[in-house]
């Protein structure tokens, strides 16, 4: 039996419908603007997000990078959440390629940054010593807070601060549609206050490759130039865009509505895990999208597991879990992440729960104290 892979929603395979659409896609050279399937995907992405234009890119990382290039001059500064993917997990592309510095603001438990801190992070444009703030970035859903969705009201508040300083707002919406489903709002409402956004097709929406950048026509024209600069101009790429067009269909024919199922599965997993001895720092009420993040600790302070470093215990748990046919992944601060997604159903989640119980016992985290011999 193949493992139940909860390391990420990036492991999803395309649906049979996507494979059919890919095989039959009408294509052309997209650098010449000749690929009708890419053009249709970009138009659909713009429509569904309420933006003027879209740009198909190879990945979420490329989407954020070309957005930064399009918004930020060399020597500019980006304000973003301190542990955001843009600052932490994209090889510092903002510094290496864009030539920008960054100001990281800590996240609160709900994934938001304190607006007062965002406001205070802006540089003084009249001070010759300082770089000039050029962009604010939000991440929705916010990954490191266990995938919390950011509301349109919060986004509008941050946009107002950015715009008040004459600076644009970009949203890293790698999981934008998870946020929309969780909050019961449209993707367009989530990005309306922003100047640009990236969303990923290759995560919960189950496409094999790709993300889309959306924004004004002028911004997308600059991002298109930036995409060519970083080697992202692709040719008969309608083959990949075709899957995106399937994913973005309305209703049950597409892949957006079904994200609700992933959220239910994440909540069920979180509730079951939170009740197990050996699982810590998990409030199941916070499982509102498709992430479950937790720590493994020794339930019995007198056990051998209690003498292990948190990382070592985590390693043993993940190994034991793998032996049970379930994959999860290390996450920052000694935590573990499980991500629910297309291809993992409610029955699989019950298997995962049983596997976690066994793995906690196998790694010693849930061991009971030795019964004293009378
Ligand atoms: N995230 C991946 C890993 O890189 C950690 C994952 O498994 O979650 N923004 C956010 C919020 C992301 O989580 C990711 C990918 C990206 C951007 C980058 O997308 P890709 O992997 O398509 O470059």
């Amino acid at each position: 039996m193949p493992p139940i892979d909860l390391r990420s929603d990036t492991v999803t395979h395309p649906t049979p419908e996507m494979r059919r659409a890919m095989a039959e896609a009408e294509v052309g050279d997209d650098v010449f603007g000749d690929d009708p399937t890419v053009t249709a995907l970009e138009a659909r992405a713009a429509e569904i997000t309420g933006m003027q234009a879209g740009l198909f890119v190879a990945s979420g990382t490329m989407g954020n990078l070309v957005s930064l290039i399009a918004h930020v001059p060399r020597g500019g500064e980006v304000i973003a959440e301190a542990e955001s993917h843009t600052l932490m997990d994209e090889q510092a592309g903002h510094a290496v390629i864009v030539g920008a510095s960054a100001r990281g603001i800590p996240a609160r438990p709900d994934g938001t940054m304190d607006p007062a801190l965002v406001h205070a992070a802006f540089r003084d444009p009249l001070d010759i010593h300082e770089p000039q703030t050029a962009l604010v970035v939000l991440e929705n859903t916010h990954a490191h807070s266990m995938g919390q969705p950011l509301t349109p009201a919060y986004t509008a508040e941050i946009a107002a601060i950015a715009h008040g300083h004459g600076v644009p707002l970009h949203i890293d919406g790698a999981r934008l549609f998870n946020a929309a489903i969780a909050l019961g709002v449209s993707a367009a409402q989530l990005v309306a206050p922003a100047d640009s956004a990236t969303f990923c097709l290759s995560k919960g929406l189950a496409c094999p490759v790709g993300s889309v950048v959306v924004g004004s026509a002028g911004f997308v024209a600059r991002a298109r130039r930036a995409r060519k600069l970083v080697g992202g101009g692709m040719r008969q790429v309608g083959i990949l865009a075709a899957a995106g067009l399937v994913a973005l269909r309305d209703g049950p024919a597409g892949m957006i509505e079904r994200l609700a199922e992933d959220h239910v599965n994440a909540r069920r997993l979180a509730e079951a895990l939170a009740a197990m001895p050996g699982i810590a720092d998990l409030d199941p009420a916070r499982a509102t999208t498709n992430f479950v993040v937790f720590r493994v600790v020794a339930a019995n302070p007198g056990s051998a597991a209690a003498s292990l470093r948190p990382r070592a215990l985590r390693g043993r748990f993940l190994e034991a879990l793998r032996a049970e046919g379930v994959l999860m992944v290390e996450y920052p601060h000694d935590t573990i992440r499980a991500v629910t997604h297309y291809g993992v159903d409610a029955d699989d989640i019950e298997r995962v729960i049983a596997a976690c119980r066994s793995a906690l016992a196998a790694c010693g985290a849930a061991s009971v104290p030795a019964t004293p011999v009378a």
Side-chain angles (χ1 to χ4, degrees):
M1 212 189 240
I4 302 173
D5 192 347
L6 302 181
R7 288 173 303 168
S8 182
D9 44 11
T10 58
V11 304
T12 43
H13 290 195
T15 65
E17 183 62 21
M18 285 179 189
R19 287 180 187 271
R20 258 194 304 278
M22 292 169 76
E24 291 163 11
E26 206 185 319
V27 297
D29 186 331
D30 184 51
V31 175
F32 281 116
D34 284 351
D35 191 308
T37 310
V38 173
T39 304
L41 174 65
E42 292 175 344
R44 173 63 179 148
E47 177 192 49
I48 203 167
T49 57
M51 292 285 198
Q52 259 178 18
L55 179 72
F56 186 52
V57 291
S59 64
T61 301
M62 186 184 280
N64 289 333
L65 180 59
V66 300
S67 299
L68 261 63
I69 295 174
H71 283 307
V72 181
R74 200 161 178 78
E77 188 163 81
V78 177
I79 297 174
E81 193 279 310
E83 293 195 359
S84 60
H85 201 277
T86 309
L87 296 192
M88 294 286 280
D89 295 310
E90 297 177 8
Q91 288 196 22
H94 64 274
V96 178
I97 298 171
V98 185
S101 57
R103 289 205 110 177
I105 311 286
R108 300 183 288 194
D110 64 357
T112 62
M113 301 177 279
D114 180 343
L117 294 183
V118 174
H119 187 71
F122 277 83
R123 300 292 193 160
D124 175 357
L126 300 178
D127 185 337
I128 198 169
H129 301 87
E130 300 190 32
Q132 301 212 324
T133 309
L135 184 67
V136 178
V137 178
L138 292 181
E139 184 176 293
N140 199 5
T141 60
H142 179 259
H144 284 197
S145 61
M146 205 164 105
Q148 300 306 308
L150 306 181
T151 63
Y154 169 73
T155 306
E157 190 177 1
I158 298 297
I161 295 171
H163 295 159
H165 287 87
V167 162
L169 173 69
H170 173 71
I171 297 178
D172 172 4
R175 299 182 177 85
L176 184 71
F177 291 99
N178 292 89
I181 292 292
L183 296 170
V185 300
S186 67
Q189 284 171 284
L190 288 176
V191 301
D195 300 274
S196 61
T198 302
F199 68 82
C200 292
L201 295 164
S202 59
K203 295 191 167 67
L205 300 183
C207 296
V209 179
S211 292
V212 189
V213 174
V214 292
S216 68
F219 161 80
V220 167
R222 296 196 304 280
R224 193 177 290 278
R225 277 189 65 79
R227 184 185 68 175
K228 196 77 181 78
L229 172 71
V230 298
M234 297 182 281
R235 305 297 176 174
Q236 288 71 31
V237 71
I239 290 209
L240 300 178
L245 276 169
V246 173
L248 297 183
R249 284 180 189 158
D250 288 324
M255 297 300 282
I256 296 170
E257 262 189 27
R258 67 149 307 284
L259 293 172
E261 210 179 296
D262 300 339
H263 300 177
V264 169
N265 287 339
R267 175 65 69 93
R268 163 73 187 134
L269 177 60
E271 280 169 355
L273 283 177
M276 291 182 197
I279 299 288
D281 294 341
L282 175 56
D283 173 1
R286 288 168 49 74
T288 50
T289 62
N290 65 334
F291 277 30
V292 180
V293 177
F294 60 94
R295 285 194 313 125
V296 170
V297 294
N300 168 20
S303 65
S307 64
L308 291 174
R309 286 180 190 279
R311 235 164 240 216
L313 182 58
R314 176 177 74 174
R316 286 190 191 192
F317 171 78
L318 288 174
E319 228 172 87
L321 197 60
R322 181 180 282 266
E324 295 285 332
V326 173
L327 307 182
M328 295 183 185
V329 74
E330 295 91 351
Y331 219 47
H333 312 296
D334 300 330
T335 60
I336 292 169
R337 181 183 76 169
V339 184
T340 55
H341 53 76
Y342 171 69
V344 174
D345 63 18
D347 289 344
D348 292 325
I349 294 299
E350 297 309 313
R351 275 181 58 207
V352 169
I353 291 166
C356 286
R357 205 170 280 119
S358 305
L360 285 168
C363 75
S367 74
V368 288
T371 323
V373 182

